[in-house]
Amino acid sequence: MNTIAKIIKEENHRQKGKVILGFMLTILLFSCTATEGQDQSAMDVTIEALMVKMTIEEKIGQLNLPGAGDITTGQAASSDIAQKIKDGEVGGLFNIKTAEKIREVQRIAVEESRLKIPLIFGMDVIHGYKTVFPIPLGLSCTWDMSLIEEVARVSAQEATADGICWTFSPMVDISRDPRWGRMAEGSGEDPYLGSEVAKAMVKGYQGKNLMADNTMMACVKHFALYGAAEAGRDYNTTDMSRIRMYNEYFPPYKAAIDAGVGSVMSSFNEVDGIPASANKWLMTDVLRDQWGFDGFIVTDYTAINEMIAHGMGDLQTVSALALNAGIDMDMVGEGFLKTLKKSLNEGKVTEQQINTACRRILEAKYKLGLFEDPYRYCDAERAEKEIFTTENRSRARSIAAQSFVLLKNDTQLLPLKKQGTIALIGPMADNTENMPGTWSVAGDFEKSISVMKGVEEAVGNKATVLYAKGANFVADPELEKRISVFGKPTYRDNRPASVIIREAVNTAKKADVVVAVVGESAEMSGESASRSDISIPETQIELLKALKNTGKPVVVVVFSGRPLVLKWEDENFHSILQVWFGGTEGGNAIADVLFGDVNPSGKLTATFPQNLGQVPLFYNHKNTGRPLQNGWFEKFRSNYLDVSNDPLYPFGYGLSYTTFKYGEISLSSDHLKGNESLTVTVPVTNTGNRDGKEVVQLYIRDMVGSVTRPVKELKGFQKVMIKAGETKNIRFTVTPDDLKFYNYDLVYDWEPGEFEIMAGSNSRDVKSKMIKWMK
Ligand code: BGC
């Protein structure tokens, strides 16, 4: 079959006898697909048979991905997009939902267009579909890859039941700048952890068989370096050395490719002075030639058109640049649709390039089984049974509870008892719609569980729960408008702040304990939600001050989609619980942790700075020639006059209601050679009186290199349940592969010498030993 496919390909390229060949191939194809399933050659035959029949316009049409606009059922057939679909000018649609609506649009494609090619339906299913799980940054704090895979699997199960077969996830952009609102969508600052998460998500979405009706194609994004936008301002320029790209920012994208991700999305930013969508080095040399990616590349939303503003030329020029770079599909902007034919006639792109892009998109459709059954993902009965089920919601609840990070609890105020009077105070204390956080396109916001509801249900009639809003999210009404554009209401209280606070103080005075639920609203992080001040807004700080002054014990529960500056809170309160945005079941999960039904086990995947001036602050930094030696200011060393170099809470940090003690690490050898492997053993004892989960972390420092190396790098972790009083010996195996990095010539290898092996409960508190590892 391979030979036949090859011959056909050559024939096709010669552009001879298209119609006859098409007919012959249809017959051939009929006899092949039945027996060979997803076999590569059967796919080639199907696609070749189709492509010989396609006009150049129809091929370009496949490269076009419009948004669904406002198609509603019944309207679909008469919409603007419907006409384009009939004319073969659309390859897929995105952010349209429900099996019924998608079936109707698909029907137009497969019944009313000339070649009846099915459409691919995409969506931003980023952290769940109707059952919304924690935002990705929160999910990463579980450090539990099987849970993360499960989230992706459940998301796929629900989304595919509703007609969607392609998700614009995982977002794997490494970011070290919490001003950037989209940190919420990724897994934080670490390339190793980010790579593990990327693999788990691709596996969860795509499963073992993409043709199954409950798996979907993943799309890793945003390639590349989107998280390194200057000043943390969204869509801004990035500029970095290749050695940093390869060692620190590329690994999660590559991990997704190695895990078999079906598609890649190009980013908005420029890389090396060329916008990603026109960057041939990035899209072809790195992605395809070096990493062997064979799926298709879609741009981000209007990214081709935006290259006009980047200063790369007019629409025809930038569209040709994108195709030449290796982009296959144009999201929303229609630059391909409007200009590629002209560019072809003028010799600015080749027919071969258009064929290649078209083939890749048709291949994706084939792999998803859409040629076999275009309605494969439109099963209203499945949608009825499999979406937002009790089982999925209870998974969401348990996973959310594991994403929370206990930042401080020095007087063991937490867990609370289910007794007496508890006052819930703050703008997130009784807000349902903001619980899901950013990017919850399909979620029904009003079906989420608020903190108030979760706490009330948890205590039943054992305790009295009081509520006061206490503060608006932000004082400035204009700013508040900017953080509620997507229908997640903030319920602004227009009374003077002092009146709102006084009411809260009166409520607090009636309580035995106060839970202050503060921080960001959902839309204060996410896309186009960069902040130049990453503190809890001033008006909420005023509330916290007033609550503190009541003398009541106060637990601070912080919602945010990024690390915040919590120095003042840390200095003034005994218990702080970071809850990100926990999703549909967030309120129940928060109650589970507040009352100790779940022992918190989340650990930070992004550093919390002491102040914004320290940013970018990350654990795996370089040493410099003048590192600090005594932890605080020293003249002529690399530090600040006014703040130490320490973070407030380091990467990997998070407390539990129990305590863990780390013993000395032991090594199987301190002199290794070649491909030997090292076993690192670290005894961890649960010294408290509750069972608890601990994330044991392994870091390595390469002491001397041909290029400078970070002061430590995460190389392994294990999340283990340790019973009260129990000691577990945690073992890690290190091989030379773990020592590899890209050198100055971008060769990936390890260099012999001395290494510091470290293990601990976070990136700061580690036990360490030295080894020598020679070639
Ligand atoms: C975002 C992408 C998203 C796309 C489609 C863009 O604005 O940057 O992450 O997948 O929209 O909704």
Side-chain angles (χ1 to χ4, degrees), residues 490-715:
T490 50
Y491 298 107
R492 188 168 183 84
D493 186 332
N494 286 315
R495 292 175 297 165
S498 57
V499 175
I500 311 174
I501 290 183
R502 201 176 318 126
E503 179 183 78
V505 165
N506 289 337
T507 306
K509 282 183 179 157
K510 292 183 206 138
D512 301 306
V513 61
V514 176
V515 180
V517 192
V518 293
E520 297 186 330
S521 66
E523 291 182 38
M524 286 173 77
S525 55
E527 186 171 350
S528 188
S530 295
R531 293 180 64 196
S532 70
D533 174 356
I534 55 167
S535 329
I536 291 180
E538 191 54 37
T539 186
Q540 296 188 56
I541 299 281
E542 291 305 318
L543 168 68
L544 289 175
K545 283 182 187 160
L547 294 177
K548 183 178 159 68
N549 285 341
T550 63
K552 298 283 177 179
V554 180
V555 173
V556 184
V557 172
V558 182
F559 277 78
S560 72
R562 51 157 66 81
L564 296 179
V565 166
L566 297 176
K567 190 151 165 55
W568 176 83
E569 292 77 356
D570 183 77
E571 282 165 1
N572 285 279
F573 296 95
H574 291 295
S575 292
I576 306 176
L577 181 68
Q578 171 70 36
V579 296
W580 313 110
F581 288 91
T584 308
E585 290 291 322
N588 282 330
I590 289 169
D592 289 340
V593 171
L594 286 179
F595 295 109
D597 296 322
V598 174
N599 189 355
S601 58
K603 301 257 193 175
L604 298 178
T605 56
T607 302
F608 275 47
Q610 295 186 67
N611 68 25
L612 186 58
Q614 291 181 304
V615 165
L617 185 69
F618 47 97
Y619 84 94
N620 48 351
H621 58 85
K622 300 291 184 69
N623 204 34
T624 80
R626 295 186 177 197
L628 259 187
Q629 282 168 338
N630 298 322
W632 181 228
F633 182 77
E634 288 170 84
K635 196 69 186 166
F636 305 120
R637 298 224 153 244
S638 178
N639 51 199
Y640 301 97
L641 286 171
D642 53 355
V643 64
S644 77
N645 289 354
D646 301 327
L648 180 63
Y649 306 120
F651 174 85
Y653 171 86
L655 303 171
S656 160
Y657 292 152
T658 189
T659 42
F660 297 101
K661 188 166 180 302
Y662 282 65
E664 289 308 318
I665 62 174
S666 55
L667 306 176
S668 55
S669 166
D670 56 8
H671 276 78
L672 292 106
K673 210 167 159 13
N675 273 340
E676 288 174 0
S677 62
L678 170 74
T679 306
V680 183
T681 309
V682 52
V684 184
T685 306
N686 180 338
T687 48
N689 48 19
R690 267 172 187 266
D691 301 347
K693 286 184 188 162
E694 168 70 344
V695 181
V696 183
Q697 300 157 42
L698 176 80
Y699 296 89
I700 298 183
R701 176 172 183 182
D702 186 350
M703 301 306 292
V704 176
S706 58
V707 291
T708 60
R709 308 285 296 121
V711 295
K712 56 179 70 131
E713 293 173 289
L714 183 72
K715 291 294 176 180

Side-chain angles (χ1 to χ4, degrees), residues 385-406:
K385 276 193 282 183
E386 295 178 19
I387 295 179
F388 208 62
T389 59
T390 314
E391 196 196 342
N392 289 354
R393 293 180 63 181
S394 88
R395 284 173 171 156
R397 176 174 181 161
S398 138
I399 292 170
Q402 297 184 63
S403 72
F404 305 155
V405 184
L406 183 62

